[in-house]
């Protein structure tokens, strides 16, 4: 039976399951209140976040729009929930869109669990998740998928249906979970409802739209996710406190950003403490950067290159947004103080590098780290929104990897809607400089690239630290780490506009631990 059918069956049979006595009048729903699915995430060796959000339509139909409603969560060792490991009740509050975050701690390390939610007479589908090994453990392998950029109208989430077949420990989502703009192409395969979104209600309904997708729901239910964001969770090309350029400017960008961050919290399996300023309405920042160890085998970092960055340099007429530019014509570009991570995160990351004992150090961040010169005629033309727009910040990151002798750095990225695979150089101005680590920048789940394959091959040729570039395929990457080495498989769907698309292996790469040389193996 397909996962999709399982989910549908679980949802439709919700009312038939034997329910525990809850001690209050049981809410009767006019349908399935778990229509946005369930999720788990932010795993450590002893804790997890379990997530769901009750359907706003059913909340309204039940007359609960302005009321909290209790939701029971259960975490069990077995799929029948006969051996519970933990349980509790969370109030789904109207102030947080009736979202539910159960932060479960005190769990056994390196263990698979099943979980579900119960609200009134409805039982959610069952999810499967896991805790990570203790930081002192020596796991034989870590298998993760990295994914990004799932523009709703550009395609169906067939890639996720194929991701289900991978036996993953975790999914790292690297930004652009949704897009703030309306359907703009007549060829969109499915309509984006709601137009431009700038308000809390708008962001909420855009998340609800994405979360209605059963393939996406199935991957959330199957594996824990570690998430970070990029620009479109707020607005295209926004930079810290400065708005970007997509759609009409709003009068109060910080209010828009605040609304977007709150909606992000409401829809992701993330921790309340990291969003305390947002949820408590006491400040403007949220924390999506962090590090979690998978035993001694790997440290997984998530970075935030969006919230704390300086504005992009070199935009013509100082307008907001992004552009390609010649660095010789832009003084601001090379200023040493310009930051992409912000001072606090940069300092935190360096301290993490100093103390990590992990064999592999895996940085999940938004964009392409390596230099990508677009000029095919011997000059230099760079894009100012990615790391290429912040050369001093990039150099500080690479210098920190070197000065701390960071073991096996691997950078994962997204944003550019193209697959790029290559070596991290100690100095991108010198193509013969030392190779410091490996980089895998993923394609998108659906979002389109406007670069042809023949052109991207030419761009790759003038950036030889990359050994592979592909603009044609949508999909995701799977990287398996062992003490001996890593294997990365780029999975692609045949046609992202086909909800039933097949998938294939676009390419595969291997590297040995301790080596910064990567080989393509298929
Ligand atoms: Fe994107």
């Amino acid at each position: 039976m397909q996962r999709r059918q399982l989910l549908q069956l679980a949802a439709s049979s919700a009312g038939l399951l034997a329910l525990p006595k809850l001690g209050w009048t049981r809410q009767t729903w006019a349908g399935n209140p778990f229509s946005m699915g369930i999720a788990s995430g932010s795993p450590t060796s002893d804790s997890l976040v379990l997530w769901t959000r009750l359907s706003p339509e059913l909340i309204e139909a039940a007359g609960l729009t302005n009321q909290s409603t209790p939701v029971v969560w259960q975490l069990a060792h077995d799929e029948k929930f006969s051996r519970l490991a933990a349980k509790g009740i969370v109030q789904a509050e109207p102030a947080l869109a009736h979202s539910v975050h159960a932060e479960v701690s005190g769990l056994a390390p390196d263990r698979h669990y099943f979980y579900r939610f119960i609200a009134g007479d409805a039982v959610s589908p069952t999810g499967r998740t896991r805790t990570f090994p203790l930081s002192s453990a020596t796991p034989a392998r870590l298998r993760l998928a990295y994914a990004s950029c799932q523009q709703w109208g550009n395609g169906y989430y067939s890639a996720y249906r194929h991701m289900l077949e991978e036996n993953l420990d975790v999914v790292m989502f690297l930004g652009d979970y949704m897009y703030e703009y309306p359907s703009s192409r007549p060829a969109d395969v499915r309509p984006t409802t709601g137009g431009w979104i700038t308000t809390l209600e708008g962001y909420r309904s855009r998340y609800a739209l994405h979360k209605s997708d059963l393939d996406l729901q199935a991957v959330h239910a199957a594996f824990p996710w570690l998430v970070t964001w990029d620009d479109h969770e707020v607005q295209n090309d926004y930079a810290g406190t400065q708005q970007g350029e997509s759609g009409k400017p709003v009068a109060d960008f910080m209010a828009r950003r605040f609304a977007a961050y709150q909606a992000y919290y409401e829809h992701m399996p993330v921790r309340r403490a990291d969003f305390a300023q947002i949820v408590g309405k006491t400040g403007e920042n949220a924390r999506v950067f962090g590090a979690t160890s998978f035993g001694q085998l790997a440290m997984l970092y998530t970075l935030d290159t969006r919230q704390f960055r300086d504005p992009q340099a070199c935009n013509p007429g100082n307008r907001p947004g992004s552009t390609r530019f010649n660095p010789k014509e832009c003084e601001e570009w090379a200023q040493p103080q310009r930051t992409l991570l912000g001072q606090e995160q940069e300092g935190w990351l360096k301290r993490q590098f100093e103390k990590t004992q992990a064999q592999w150090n895996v940085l999940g961040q938004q964009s392409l780290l390596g230099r990508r010169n677009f000029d095919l005629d011997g000059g230099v033309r760079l894009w100012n929104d990615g790391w290429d727009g912040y050369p001093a910040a990039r150099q500080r990151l690479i210098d920190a990897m070197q000065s701390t002798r960071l073991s096996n750095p691997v950078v994962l990225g997204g944003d550019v809607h193209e697959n790029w695979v290559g070596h991290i150089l100690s100095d991108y101005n010198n193509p013969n400089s030392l190779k410091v680590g490996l980089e895998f920048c993923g394609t998108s789940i659906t979002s389109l690239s406007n670069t042809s394959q023949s052109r991207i091959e030419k761009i790759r040729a003038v950036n030889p630290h990359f050994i592979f570039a592909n603009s044609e395929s949508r999909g995701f990457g799977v990287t398996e780490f062992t003490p001996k080495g890593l294997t990365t498989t780029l999975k692609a769907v045949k046609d992202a506009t086909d909800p039933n698309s097949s998938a294939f292996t676009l390419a595969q790469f291997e590297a040995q631990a301790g080596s910064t040389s990567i080989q393509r193996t298929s």
Side-chain angles (χ1 to χ4, degrees), residues 149 176 179 232 415 417 447:
C149 299
D176 292 355
Y179 287 69
H232 288 286
D415 181 36
H417 308 170
S447 309

Side-chain angles (χ1 to χ4, degrees), residues 265-517:
Y265 171 75
E266 290 168 352
H267 294 86
M268 293 291 154
V270 291
R271 293 175 193 278
R272 191 165 181 135
D274 292 333
F275 284 77
Q277 287 188 19
I278 302 292
V279 175
K281 305 208 186 306
T282 59
E284 287 160 343
N285 289 338
R287 179 167 165 143
V288 298
F289 67 84
T292 183
S293 69
F294 195 89
Q296 290 180 22
L297 182 61
M299 184 67 79
L300 303 181
Y301 306 83
T302 46
L303 301 185
D304 178 355
T305 63
R306 205 38 82 172
Q307 182 177 190
F308 307 109
R309 66 159 67 189
D310 284 323
Q312 297 87 348
C314 325
N315 280 332
N318 259 341
R319 62 167 173 77
S322 66
T323 191
R324 291 181 191 175
F325 69 102
N326 177 351
K328 284 193 180 138
E329 295 164 2
C330 174
E331 231 173 81
E332 187 193 354
W333 171 72
Q335 285 173 355
Q337 78 281 8
R338 292 186 67 245
T339 184
L340 195 60
L341 297 174
Q343 251 188 5
E344 186 195 336
Q345 184 178 189
E346 225 177 82
W348 164 84
L349 188 58
K350 183 153 187 212
R351 289 192 299 279
Q352 295 296 313
F353 286 179
E354 282 161 358
K355 70 179 191 195
T356 176
Q357 301 287 320
Q359 187 183 14
W360 297 94
N361 285 279
V362 184
L363 283 80
Q365 51 80 54
Q366 290 71 26
S367 197
L368 188 67
L369 179 72
R371 180 178 162 112
R372 182 177 45 159
N373 181 6
F374 290 96
D375 196 318
L376 303 179
D377 302 315
V380 180
R381 203 148 192 88
L382 303 174
W383 183 49
N384 67 352
D385 189 61
W387 284 93
D388 270 336
Y390 299 81
R394 175 168 62 196
Q395 198 59 53
R396 285 196 297 275
L397 173 64
I398 293 165
D399 290 350
M401 290 175 179
Q402 286 194 283
S403 68
T404 60
R405 297 174 186 272
L406 189 66
S407 175
N408 295 301
V410 177
V411 169
L412 306 177
D415 181 36
V416 298
H417 308 170
E418 297 163 356
N419 268 305
W420 289 85
V421 176
H423 301 102
I424 302 168
L425 294 188
S426 61
D427 176 4
Y428 283 103
N429 295 313
N430 174 5
N432 299 316
S433 64
L434 202 67
K435 292 170 183 165
V436 175
L438 308 175
E439 172 166 22
F440 299 95
C441 187
T443 176
S444 57
I445 294 292
T446 52
S447 309
L448 298 171
S449 160
N450 49 22
T451 310
S452 68
Q453 188 57 32
S454 63
R455 183 161 175 83
I456 203 172
E457 303 276 9
K458 289 178 191 148
I459 298 169
R460 194 208 62 76
V462 297
N463 297 280
H465 43 280
F466 290 112
I467 64 165
F468 179 84
N470 180 286
S471 61
E472 284 179 326
S473 293
R474 315 274 73 82
F476 57 91
V478 175
T479 303
E480 183 167 307
F481 300 89
T482 72
K484 285 192 173 156
L486 72 70
T487 305
T488 292
T489 308
L490 305 184
K491 287 285 188 184
V493 289
K494 194 162 169 238
D495 178 3
T497 67
D498 173 4
N500 300 309
S501 176
S502 59
F504 62 98
T505 295
L506 177 66
Q508 197 166 55
F509 304 89
E510 283 181 15
Q512 293 187 347
S515 157
T516 49
S517 183

Side-chain angles (χ1 to χ4, degrees), residues 158-174:
S158 293
Y160 281 127
R161 203 174 49 258
H162 295 285
M163 195 187 279
L164 271 187
E165 295 156 15
E166 305 289 337
N167 181 17
L168 301 172
D169 295 302
V170 66
V171 175
M172 290 183 83
F173 192 84
L174 304 177

